[in-house]
Amino acid sequence: FFSDIIGFTSMVEEMTPIQVMEMLNELYTLFDHLVEVHDVYKVETIGDAYMVLGAAPNVCSASEGAEKVARFALAALDAVRNFRKRDGTTVLIRCGLASGPVVAGGVGNAKPRP
């Protein structure tokens, strides 16, 4: 599962940095709860992007991993439908699913953070 917020760049131009962080924290705290509910693995959040895996690091069958991610995606869409920024406006996300082998590793010489 991968997602981003539709119109994020123009949306945040009208917000203070604290408002942006509060909005992202509130939305992604909802997603984090769904990670636990659906037993998927949160890979990363980068800006407004949110990514999860279904069959790693806890290995399961490909079909079980796909089902977990699909159920997470549907729940995330439901959560976004009910989510409102503090000013009452809605947020829309664009999301997708992908399947197949996964490779992970570090590139470059510097460590990103502990």
Side-chain angles (χ1 to χ4, degrees):
F1 171 89
F2 48 91
S3 70
D4 69 341
I5 296 173
I6 297 173
F8 180 75
T9 302
S10 59
M11 177 190 306
V12 300
E13 287 175 351
E14 300 177 20
M15 299 169 71
T16 67
I18 294 296
Q19 290 172 321
V20 173
M21 292 304 296
E22 287 173 344
M23 178 196 65
L24 290 174
N25 185 59
E26 290 169 7
L27 179 60
Y28 292 155
T29 296
L30 291 174
F31 284 14
D32 290 347
H33 171 72
L34 297 175
V35 163
E36 297 297 321
V37 169
H38 295 282
D39 191 30
V40 293
Y41 178 73
K42 178 181 177 179
V43 176
E44 188 77 54
T45 55
I46 302 171
D48 65 317
Y50 194 97
M51 298 174 64
V52 304
L53 295 174
N58 301 324
V59 178
C60 62
S61 70
S63 60
E64 183 182 353
E67 182 178 343
K68 290 193 296 186
V69 172
R71 290 184 186 279
F72 170 87
L74 292 172
L77 288 172
D78 281 341
V80 171
R81 274 189 206 99
N82 297 316
F83 181 79
R84 299 288 180 273
K85 293 182 351 189
R86 293 200 175 174
D87 67 1
T89 59
T90 59
V91 172
L92 300 173
I93 64 169
R94 146 183 51 231
C95 64
L97 303 174
S99 63
V102 175
V103 175
V107 294
N109 294 324
K111 293 180 183 179
R113 61 193 177 282

